[in-house]
Amino acid sequence: MPDALLALSRTYAARHGAPLIDRVDPAVFRRRYFARCMGCGFCNDACCDHGVDADAPVVALVLARAAEIEPLVGLPRDAWFDAEVEHDADAPGGWFRRTAVRDGRCVFRSRTGRGCVLHGWALGAGIDYHDVKPMVSTLFPVTFSEGTLCVSDELEDGTLVCAGDGPTAYEAAREELAYYFGEAFVAELDGLASRVDGER
């Protein structure tokens, strides 16, 4: 039986206004995984096989810089995202488009090396990778749903290939959560993490 959700002292909004978080699943403080993605030698970037929900600000910036990104992706820009726009109050900007999957992997997964083409391109171009990498990707396997900060289904059910050893999902995502939601958010989560740890 899942643990009861932990209520936060207030609702926290991400920097683009969404999502809004007012509860936390304690699994965020308990579930562990390898976390050092680029130091992993056993997963072959498996978490990038399925594509991801790319939020409105990310889609806009990626398409605005498509001429620079296109040679790295190896596919034309009109093949990068599913045509359907999904309206979702949890998504930054109020909507998302799913990244396309080609040959069993996200179109933005590197064909010549490791990791995300968008992340690598941003670092090389001297821009903040948060601007071009979907929030869901950056936080994974921490995620959010209907006001709750939680872990992905794959980490919850143990099917994530790197699940088990390593830091907690919260410890691994703490810096990114601070970027999106602010220092007050992680300060409150730090307190909850200590409380949950003390209950073990």
Side-chain angles (χ1 to χ4, degrees):
M1 180 177 175
D3 291 330
L5 300 179
L6 305 173
L8 297 175
S9 63
R10 65 179 178 89
T11 298
Y12 293 88
R15 57 175 49 222
H16 289 290
L20 302 174
I21 303 293
D22 62 9
R23 299 175 305 279
V24 181
D25 184 334
V28 167
F29 307 121
R30 292 188 173 128
R31 299 279 188 231
R32 297 178 177 274
Y33 74 110
F34 183 74
R36 294 185 297 110
C37 294
M38 298 307 289
C40 168
F42 56 85
C43 78
N44 196 30
D45 295 340
C47 59
C48 301
D49 287 349
H50 311 292
V52 67
D53 299 339
D55 47 83
V58 163
V59 172
L61 199 149
V62 167
L63 292 177
R65 304 291 291 264
E68 299 165 66
I69 298 169
E70 213 163 29
L72 303 173
V73 176
L75 291 169
R77 64 195 75 179
D78 61 2
W80 294 350
F81 300 101
D82 291 348
E84 187 175 0
V85 173
E86 298 275 351
H87 295 279
D88 184 347
D90 272 346
W95 58 266
F96 66 85
R97 290 173 68 187
R98 188 90 182 156
T99 62
V101 174
R102 296 288 184 275
D103 303 320
R105 55 189 174 181
C106 175
V107 294
F108 295 114
R109 179 179 159 195
S110 174
R111 266 49 178 178
T112 59
R114 291 286 318 277
C116 175
V117 166
L118 295 176
H119 193 133
W121 171 78
L123 295 178
I127 67 171
D128 189 340
Y129 65 86
H130 296 98
D131 293 338
V132 294
K133 190 172 180 182
M135 183 179 181
V136 173
S137 291
T138 305
L139 291 178
F140 185 84
V142 172
T143 191
F144 45 85
S145 177
E146 299 179 347
T148 300
L149 189 73
C150 52
V151 297
S152 68
D153 291 342
E154 299 95 328
L155 186 55
E156 182 65 34
D157 65 20
T159 58
L160 186 67
V161 67
C162 58
D165 294 326
T168 67
Y170 173 64
E171 289 166 343
R174 187 183 185 280
E175 185 176 329
E176 299 294 2
L177 290 167
Y179 171 84
Y180 287 114
F181 293 95
E183 292 297 332
F185 182 67
V186 294
E188 183 162 1
L189 293 179
D190 287 346
L192 291 175
S194 295
R195 192 175 98 197
V196 169
D197 189 55
E199 292 171 353
R200 290 180 190 174

